[in-house]
Amino acid sequence: MHRRLIVPSALAASLVLAIPASAADFSPGAPGIGDPYYPASGNGGYDVSHYDLRLTYQPKTDLLEGTATILATTQQNLSRFNLDFGLKVKEVRVNGKKATFAKEGDQELVITPVAPLEKGKSVSVVVRYAGKPSELSIGGYTAWHRTPDGGVAAQEPDSAVWWFPSNDHPLDKATYDISVSVPDGTQAISNGVLQSQSSKLGWTRYNWRSNKPQASYLATLAVGKFDITTDKTADGLPILNAYSKDLGDNAGAARASVERTGEVAEWLAEVFGPYPFNALGGYVPNVKSGYALETQTRPFYSPRQFANGANVSVVVHELAHQWYGDSVSVHGWKDIWVNEGFARYSQWLWSEKEDEGTAQQLADWVYAQHPADDAFWTVKPGDPGADKQFDIAVYDRGALALQALRNEVGDKDFFAILKGWPAEHAYGNAEVGDFVKFAEGISGKPLAGLFDTWLYQPSKPGAPAAAGARIARAGVKPARPASWKKIAATNSIHDHDHDHN
C-alpha cells in the first residue's frame, strides 16, 4: 500500500530552499573586476566589508610579516576565488578551515576552500604571509618605497598588492583596522585614528582604524623615524601630521605647508560640504619619488613637493581628494577626471580665495599655453586611456571643463553642484556620466554637449568664457596669475609610473 505525502506549500518552498546547490552550480570568481584599463585589478564573486591587518615590519631588513583577516560576502556560488597579492603566502584559511592556494602571474592568489561557498553568505579569509616588499616587482614597477629608516606604501592606481592581500579596485571599498609592530624608536603611520600604541620587548605596536569605506589603493603604511604633531580642528577632528627626521633643506617648507591642513580642510568644507571622515593629517617621508597622493585621511607628500619652498596648493589638491576621489571614488579608472579635474580646480579656487588669480584668469592662462596643434588637446579627460590616465591634460583640461561649466550655469548652481555631488554619492563610486546628469539636474540645463566638447573631443575647444574668447581673438596672451608658479610646481603629483597590468 502506498501513501501519498501531502506537504503544505510554505513548507515545500522551505524544503526546496534547503536543498544544497550541486557542484555544477558553483564556479570560480573572475580574476579581475572588469576594469578595461587594468584587467588584472580586483576580482569577481565577492564583496569585502572589512580588512584586519596585523603586521610586523623590520626596517633594517625590509621584512614584512602579516596576518590579514578579510571579511566578505559572496556574490555568487563560488568554487574558488582570487585575491590580489604579491608576497609569499604561508597559509590560507576560509571560514576557519585550511584552504589550498596557488599563485598565478604576478599578483593573483587563487584560493580554493575545502567546501564551495554559497551566494549571499558571510565569509572570513585569513592569510598569513611574509616577504620583502622592495623585492617585489610587477611589470618592472614597484609601489613600495624603501627609505633609509623604513618603508612606505603609497601609489596609484594600486599599492595594496605589495603589503596586504585584497580585492584591489576602488569598486570594492571596506573599513580597515591596521596594527603594525616596529622596533622601538620607529613609528608606523597609517590611515584614520590612532586607537592605541604599546611597547613590549623592544617593539612598539601602533593600532590604526579607518571607520569609513576606503579603496585599497588609499590604504597607506609608512614606517620610519618621524617628528609627529597633533592638533584638533574647531569641530574636534583629530589632526596628525608626520615628518621624516631626515628631510634636509625641505623640512621647514614641508611643515609650513602640511601644518595648514586643518585650515585648508575647514575652507574646503565650505566649498564641498562637511568633511567626510573622522581624522585629518598628512605625512612627508624621506622618499625619492616626486609625487603626492590622496591616501585617505592622511595624504602622502614627497619632500620634492617642497623643494622650492612652502606650497599650500599641493595640500589643497590632496585634501580636495578626500571628497572627490576618496569619499566618492571612481567606478572605473576611466572616470579619473571626477578625481583629478576637481582636485586641480580646487587649487584654482584657493588661488581665487587668496587673491592670487581668479579661476577664470587661470583658465585663460592654461588655455593660451596650448596651441590648437598641441598634443594636450588630444587627451580626452573623460576617458583618457590607461597610458594617459595621469596626463597633465586630465588635470588642466579637466579643470577647464569645470570653468566652462561654471560659466554656463552661474556661480549659484555651480557651487551647489560642487557641494551636492559628494553628499549624493558619499562613500560610494560614480562615473563621469553620473556627474553630467547630476549637474543637469541641479542647473536644469542640458549639459551633455558642453561636457562632450571639454572631456571627449580630441581637439581644442572654443575658449571657456567670453573674456578668454576676446583674448584669443585678439591674439594677446593673458597675464600669468600670481598663483601659477605654485600650482605648476605640483604637476609631479600626477607623475605615477603605474602602467603595469
Side-chain angles (χ1 to χ4, degrees):
M1 181 178 177
H2 298 281
R3 293 183 178 178
R4 184 181 179 189
L5 178 63
I6 300 176
V7 182
S9 58
L11 178 59
S14 67
L15 289 172
V16 170
L17 290 174
I19 297 173
S22 68
D25 294 328
F26 292 85
S27 59
I33 209 164
D35 193 320
Y37 279 24
Y38 303 105
S41 291
N43 303 284
Y46 62 93
D47 180 80
V48 178
S49 60
H50 185 71
Y51 292 91
D52 183 277
L53 309 179
R54 189 170 180 85
L55 312 173
T56 299
Y57 181 72
Q58 175 53 264
K60 289 182 179 179
T61 61
D62 195 44
L63 178 64
L64 177 71
E65 298 176 278
T67 299
T69 302
I70 302 167
L71 305 181
T73 302
T74 54
Q75 296 178 315
Q76 68 178 69
N77 289 332
L78 282 172
S79 57
R80 67 172 190 261
F81 61 93
N82 289 20
L83 291 170
D84 298 303
F85 194 46
L87 296 181
K88 185 177 180 179
V89 174
K90 296 179 178 180
E91 180 184 80
V92 177
R93 289 179 178 265
V94 178
N95 292 335
K97 298 179 177 61
K98 282 189 176 182
T100 58
F101 60 91
K103 292 292 290 294
E104 290 186 359
D106 289 329
Q107 68 182 68
E108 297 296 333
L109 176 63
V110 183
I111 299 170
T112 305
V114 292
L117 306 173
E118 291 187 20
K119 179 180 179 180
K121 299 293 185 180
S122 297
V123 179
S124 66
V125 182
V126 176
V127 182
R128 300 182 188 276
Y129 58 94
K132 297 182 178 182
S134 61
E135 296 179 355
L136 176 61
S137 176
I138 297 179
Y141 151 83
T142 181
W144 183 264
H145 307 270
R146 192 81 165 91
T147 65
D149 54 6
V152 176
Q155 183 57 277
E156 183 180 11
D158 54 7
S159 64
V161 171
W162 278 261
W163 63 291
F164 69 95
S166 69
N167 194 11
D168 197 14
H169 191 277
L171 268 179
D172 194 358
K173 300 163 80 169
T175 55
Y176 284 75
D177 282 313
I178 299 177
S179 176
V180 190
S181 183
V182 294
D184 286 350
T186 304
Q187 290 91 22
I189 308 298
S190 191
N191 312 83
V193 175
L194 181 62
Q195 301 290 104
S196 63
Q197 69 182 70
S198 58
S199 295
K200 184 178 181 181
L201 300 176
W203 291 77
T204 301
R205 180 167 291 280
Y206 295 83
N207 300 299
W208 296 89
R209 171 167 289 179
S210 296
N211 68 348
K212 296 296 183 184
Q214 176 175 286
S216 51
Y217 87 94
L218 296 172
T220 192
L221 174 64
V223 175
K225 296 181 178 180
F226 294 96
D227 287 327
I228 294 175
T229 67
T230 59
D231 201 353
K232 288 186 177 181
T233 66
D235 294 332
L237 281 176
I239 305 173
L240 186 146
N241 299 321
Y243 308 90
S244 171
K245 292 180 180 290
D246 190 22
L247 293 180
D249 293 342
N250 297 333
R255 286 174 179 264
S257 306
V258 179
E259 285 301 303
R260 296 182 68 180
T261 289
E263 172 196 351
V264 170
E266 288 175 3
W267 170 74
L268 284 168
E270 297 174 7
V271 180
F272 295 148
Y275 180 73
F277 304 117
N278 67 345
L280 271 170
Y283 72 96
V284 189
N286 185 12
V287 296
K288 295 179 180 179
S289 64
Y291 62 88
L293 184 65
E294 63 270 19
T295 41
Q296 192 160 304
T297 71
R298 189 150 291 106
F300 157 91
Y301 301 98
S302 162
R304 283 168 51 190
Q305 288 291 320
F306 313 106
N308 296 314
N311 194 345
V312 181
S313 189
V314 69
V315 176
V316 172
H317 184 106
E318 300 309 332
L319 290 179
H321 274 310
Q322 304 306 306
W323 287 262
Y324 283 84
D326 293 10
S327 177
V328 186
S329 300
V330 296
H331 185 273
W333 283 110
K334 70 178 178 60
D335 302 305
I336 190 66
W337 170 75
V338 184
N339 290 15
E340 301 300 349
F342 293 78
R344 184 59 137 187
Y345 194 78
S346 72
Q347 294 175 269
W348 293 11
L349 291 175
W350 178 262
S351 170
E352 199 167 278
K353 170 188 174 292
E354 296 290 285
D355 295 324
E356 294 185 339
T358 66
Q360 183 61 62
Q361 289 168 334
L362 284 158
D364 291 341
W365 172 259
V366 169
Y367 184 83
Q369 300 313 299
H370 301 282
D373 59 354
D374 192 328
F376 174 90
W377 300 111
T378 66
V379 177
K380 299 179 287 186
D383 189 359
D387 61 330
K388 298 290 185 181
Q389 185 182 348
F390 299 106
D391 190 276
I392 190 61
V394 174
Y395 295 67
D396 281 353
R397 185 176 175 180
L400 285 171
L402 289 170
Q403 184 61 30
L405 173 65
R406 182 178 179 179
N407 293 330
E408 177 66 21
V409 304
D411 275 12
K412 181 180 178 181
D413 283 348
F414 179 72
F415 286 103
I417 291 167
L418 289 190
K419 187 173 288 187
W421 172 260
E424 180 80 7
H425 296 279
Y427 312 119
N429 303 78
E431 300 178 279
V432 174
D434 297 324
F435 183 83
V436 175
K437 292 177 183 176
F438 184 80
E440 288 180 329
I442 294 292
S443 68
K445 290 189 174 185
L447 298 170
L450 181 147
F451 284 109
D452 181 65
T453 296
W454 286 97
L455 298 182
Y456 296 101
Q457 292 304 312
S459 57
K460 186 173 184 175
R470 287 196 298 272
I471 290 169
R473 284 196 299 270
V476 177
K477 286 189 175 181
R480 187 181 75 178
S483 61
W484 180 250
K485 188 175 181 180
K486 291 295 186 183
I487 293 172
T490 68
N491 283 353
S492 59
I493 57 179
H494 65 87
D495 187 18
H496 301 286
D497 183 16
H498 64 284
D499 188 12
H500 62 279
N501 282 337

